[in-house]
Amino acid sequence: MSYIKLTNITKRFGEVAAVNNLNLEIERGECFSFLGPSGCGKTTTLRMVAGFEDLDEGEISVGGKLISSSYKKYYLPPEKREFGMVFQAFAVWPHLNVFDNVAFPLKIKRLSRTEVMDRTRRAIKYTGLTSVQGSYPHRLSGGQQQRIALARAIAINPTVMLLDEPLSNLDPKLREEMRFEIKELQKKFGFSVVYVTHDQAEAMALSDRMLVMKQGVVQQVDTPLNIYHNPANRFVFSFIGLSNFVPADIQDGAAYVEGAGNAGAVTTEIPPQVKGPKVTLAFRPSEVEILPPGRGAVRCLVKRKVYLGEMNDYKVLVGNTPIRIQKSRHKVSFNEGDTCDLKFHRLLWY
């Protein structure tokens, strides 16, 4: 049964529909990510759930309780929604130490001193801040300051945690550590997470399900695995993971890289819905095998080779068409200027 429900949500800024007729259901205890390029509407949607933006059309309910409705002219203020919120800016009070930063929202709610102390200590413990609870923010690292924001959000015992680009100000290594900490906290406390990011790796690592948006319109809602392997359209394929889009000609039941028919056929298995004669072939850099001459289907020239730790990243040319390939450096290795063959293992057709 859905816990967070968005029905026919629309938000306009002037003539622009930032969010256009969005329908979405999020389960209790689910980690759900909004993913898309800047300006796609993901943050606007989160702000409507939080109550910082009122919607122009539609309804939002949480746990069966209505919190916003254009039809019933109802709007519940943010402070009464009691959601945990963590944003891109660390938003810590510099004049308060860690303990008081976390305790402050609880004091505002006029909870008893005992409950404030218990909730604050618990939140600080589970975010790894116990050893620095007497320190002031300026003495802490960016990761520790973001943990203060997490602890403060956890302390109010939320059923929903809203996170808007919470890790974007951290360095890559710390960002990776923090995404796993957020996931562990979600499992421990059982709250639903609505997570906004433009970082696809972050969304893939954290999400039970995710939504991909473009210009205020939902493109696909699914698990990270299904979105990666079964994208709903070309935009989703291009946005999630590395991708190649290669123009091709259909001739005599085979597909050839455009203008490079003498290099060999990419495939002779043409899907029945593909009529040609012009198509675009889409595939991941990892879904192409690079082989010595005579062992593959399509002849190419290695134009560039870059060492990426465990991977070699190749740019090859089939005729004048560039193709990107990534393969383990422990397999057959080629150098710039080498002639080699390609074998394609999985293709999407657009």
Side-chain angles (χ1 to χ4, degrees):
M1 183 178 176
S2 64
Y3 187 67
I4 304 170
K5 189 172 183 179
L6 285 68
T7 306
N8 301 327
I9 298 300
T10 296
K11 179 66 179 180
R12 299 183 187 89
F13 295 103
E15 299 298 317
V16 177
V19 179
N20 193 0
N21 196 35
L22 171 62
N23 290 277
L24 179 66
E25 296 185 8
I26 300 171
E27 303 299 321
R28 181 158 194 165
E30 183 176 28
C31 186
F32 191 97
S33 292
F34 286 75
L35 184 65
S38 297
C40 72
K42 55 188 186 295
T43 293
T44 299
T45 304
L46 188 80
R47 289 177 62 83
M48 286 190 286
V49 174
F52 300 143
E53 298 279 357
D54 199 4
L55 42 81
D56 292 327
E57 296 175 22
E59 287 188 340
I60 302 174
S61 62
V62 176
K65 177 184 177 183
L66 192 67
I67 60 174
S68 290
S69 174
S70 66
Y71 314 125
K72 298 178 181 178
K73 307 298 182 185
Y74 180 76
Y75 165 78
L76 187 69
E79 65 273 14
K80 295 187 177 180
R81 301 190 184 194
E82 298 189 339
F83 298 155
M85 302 178 198
V86 181
F87 301 102
Q88 181 176 349
F90 300 140
V92 295
W93 290 288
H95 63 291
L96 299 178
N97 63 24
V98 171
F99 190 94
D100 290 337
N101 256 283
V102 177
F104 185 78
L106 302 178
K107 294 176 180 177
I108 293 296
K109 294 167 72 70
R110 299 185 181 277
L111 300 179
S112 70
R113 176 178 171 80
T114 300
E115 189 169 3
V116 169
M117 297 293 285
D118 288 346
R119 285 199 195 184
T120 302
R121 287 182 182 132
R122 180 170 176 252
I124 285 175
K125 173 186 174 183
Y126 284 116
T127 49
L129 292 170
T130 302
S131 63
V132 295
Q133 62 182 314
S135 300
Y136 287 84
H138 72 275
R139 295 186 176 276
L140 304 179
S141 68
Q144 288 172 318
Q145 291 185 50
Q146 195 60 297
R147 284 189 180 91
I148 296 174
L150 279 169
R152 192 168 55 207
I154 288 168
I156 66 171
N157 293 339
T159 58
V160 176
M161 183 78 80
L162 307 177
L163 300 103
D164 187 7
E165 305 273 11
L167 309 182
S168 60
N169 286 336
L170 305 180
D171 64 68
K173 186 175 185 298
L174 185 55
R175 191 159 62 234
E176 186 173 342
E177 292 175 2
M178 287 295 294
R179 72 173 65 137
F180 290 112
E181 289 189 24
I182 289 171
K183 189 67 176 176
E184 286 302 311
L185 288 169
Q186 185 242 339
K187 290 179 179 177
K188 185 183 298 291
F189 290 95
F191 45 69
S192 302
V193 172
V194 182
Y195 195 100
V196 165
T197 182
H198 64 269
D199 186 321
Q200 53 189 270
E202 210 167 272
M204 299 281 280
L206 279 166
S207 307
D208 299 307
R209 288 188 305 144
M210 50 198 269
L211 174 153
V212 182
M213 294 185 78
K214 178 186 178 184
Q215 297 178 346
V217 178
V218 174
Q219 303 296 305
Q220 187 169 357
V221 178
D222 212 326
T223 64
L225 187 65
N226 282 339
I227 286 179
Y228 185 83
H229 288 292
N230 301 295
N233 54 42
R234 179 169 174 161
F235 171 79
V236 175
F237 189 90
S238 66
F239 194 78
I240 304 294
L242 299 175
S243 55
N244 287 293
F245 292 96
V246 173
D249 300 318
I250 306 295
Q251 298 176 6
D252 302 322
Y256 300 87
V257 173
E258 186 177 78
N262 60 346
V266 174
T267 182
T268 56
E269 298 178 8
I270 312 299
Q273 72 272 18
V274 175
K275 304 303 180 184
K278 300 288 186 181
V279 296
T280 298
L281 302 176
F283 49 92
R284 306 290 185 190
S286 60
E287 294 172 337
V288 188
E289 200 169 351
I290 185 166
L291 301 165
R295 293 182 56 188
V298 179
R299 186 60 50 90
C300 70
L301 174 70
V302 178
K303 189 69 174 177
R304 184 199 68 203
K305 174 186 176 183
V306 178
Y307 171 66
L308 299 177
E310 291 300 306
M311 305 291 292
N312 284 326
D313 187 286
Y314 297 97
K315 175 185 176 182
V316 305
L317 294 179
V318 179
N320 293 319
T321 300
I323 295 175
R324 187 175 180 184
I325 303 170
Q326 289 187 340
K327 288 297 172 186
S328 169
R329 66 180 178 87
H330 301 295
K331 294 188 177 182
V332 177
S333 182
F334 296 89
N335 297 310
E336 293 176 4
D338 286 352
T339 297
C340 55
D341 280 2
L342 304 180
K343 184 177 181 181
F344 297 80
H345 291 290
R346 185 171 184 267
L347 298 167
L348 295 179
W349 302 72
Y350 294 107

